[in-house]
Amino acid sequence: MKKNTLLSVIMLLFCSGLSAQQLYSEDFENFTLGNVTTSSDGQTAGQGGWFFTSNYTLGQSVPFENLCQIQSDPAKGKVITMLPYSLYPYSIGGGSSINNNLNTVITNRTLGNDVLKLEIDFYTGPQSNSLNAIYFGLGKIDVLRVVGFTFDSDTGELKGTYYDATTTPLPTNYQTNLGNNSQPLTMPFNSWIRCVVYADYKNNKVVYEIPSLNISVENDFLENEPYPISITNNLPDAFIAYTQYYDPTDNGLLPTYKFDNLKVTALNQVLSTKEMLSNQFNLFPNPATDLVTISNQENIAVKQIKIYDLTGKLIDTQNFEKKSEIQLTVDNLTQGIYMLHLQTNEGVAVKKLIKK
């Protein structure tokens, strides 16, 4: 079961001096299937406070509220979906956007929690042969983007991106390749991807992560504005996704994009997704002699566990049927310290085990 809540209470977790405050979480399970809003003018709040804007509604008063829907996905359950324009001329230069105003929860975060973390599942949709792309991430309603990702539906390239208004002579949308050695990262079409980004205003850094691929890329962020000016002038107030469509042939290849499991957290320092994931798991007993129970409170399913010694040598591999609580047999291990690598759909968690 997925969890769904807009948190008005502050949840503090302490780990290695880290203060993590969950500001917002949504998985759309409590939404009703069908249109998210009753209008596509961007002014009418729909389910869960979400807004939908169609460029053609703004420019020509043509209603398109049916292009933003809650749909049932076989892998995820209910998800929020951005559908494409289907008719010429709307497929030329057409665009639409969704947003949820997070100004109150972000503004009222705990003092000093000036690292914002966004986590979201993104569905890449079908490949297109035209200039179709989407941005999704944290933004300001008037600027659209602050920090997040762009996906090119022609090439399949996923890039990190952030907006810098201080560059001259014009503001700049910086884009970062996420592949090895700064090469482009190409993602499969019609696939779900967990995307994570940290906006570290304290250190003028941005970190992009794709947990399932063990990708973590750091780059400079708002380097012309030292902290705290960096966060004062560039604090996002919403989650935003907006599309760019251009298909003059109207050949039906315009992509459909989907989102699920959106989470925004405020922290006082960057903690990698692997570390955050690892903190969700508990081992008992530890030290252990023959059997150790591995559990978590988030119902994160474990598919496989690899056991390494401190030299990095792989000692054992055990597979599981995606269980959130596991009985791991360790009686065949000699006394010592081992690192357990827990493979999950959210990435790899690492826990230390002491064998008596």
Side-chain angles (χ1 to χ4, degrees), residues 167-183:
T167 56
T168 57
L170 296 172
T172 303
N173 284 314
Y174 288 100
Q175 293 196 337
T176 301
N177 287 334
L178 302 179
N180 292 332
N181 300 316
S182 299
Q183 295 299 304

Side-chain angles (χ1 to χ4, degrees), residues 2 18 23 29 33 54 58 77 84 142 166 172 180 198 200 208 211 246 255 274 283 286 310 326:
K2 296 189 293 182
L18 178 81
L23 304 178
E29 288 302 299
L33 294 176
S54 161
L58 298 181
D142 56 341
T166 67
T172 303
N180 292 332
Y198 295 85
D200 184 353
Y208 307 100
Y246 184 79
K274 181 180 289 187
L283 272 62
N286 192 13
L310 292 185
I326 288 172

Side-chain angles (χ1 to χ4, degrees), residues 178-228:
L178 302 179
N180 292 332
N181 300 316
S182 299
Q183 295 299 304
L185 176 66
T186 302
M187 303 304 301
F189 294 101
N190 296 312
S191 299
W192 283 99
I193 308 164
R194 185 69 169 172
C195 299
V196 180
V197 61
Y198 295 85
D200 184 353
Y201 292 92
K202 289 185 173 183
N203 298 295
N204 292 97
K205 296 291 183 182
V206 58
V207 180
Y208 307 100
E209 293 185 345
I210 310 298
S212 62
L213 301 178
N214 291 321
I215 288 175
S216 181
V217 177
E218 179 183 288
N219 213 335
D220 293 329
F221 177 56
L222 304 172
E223 53 189 329
N224 296 324
E225 294 184 296
Y227 178 77

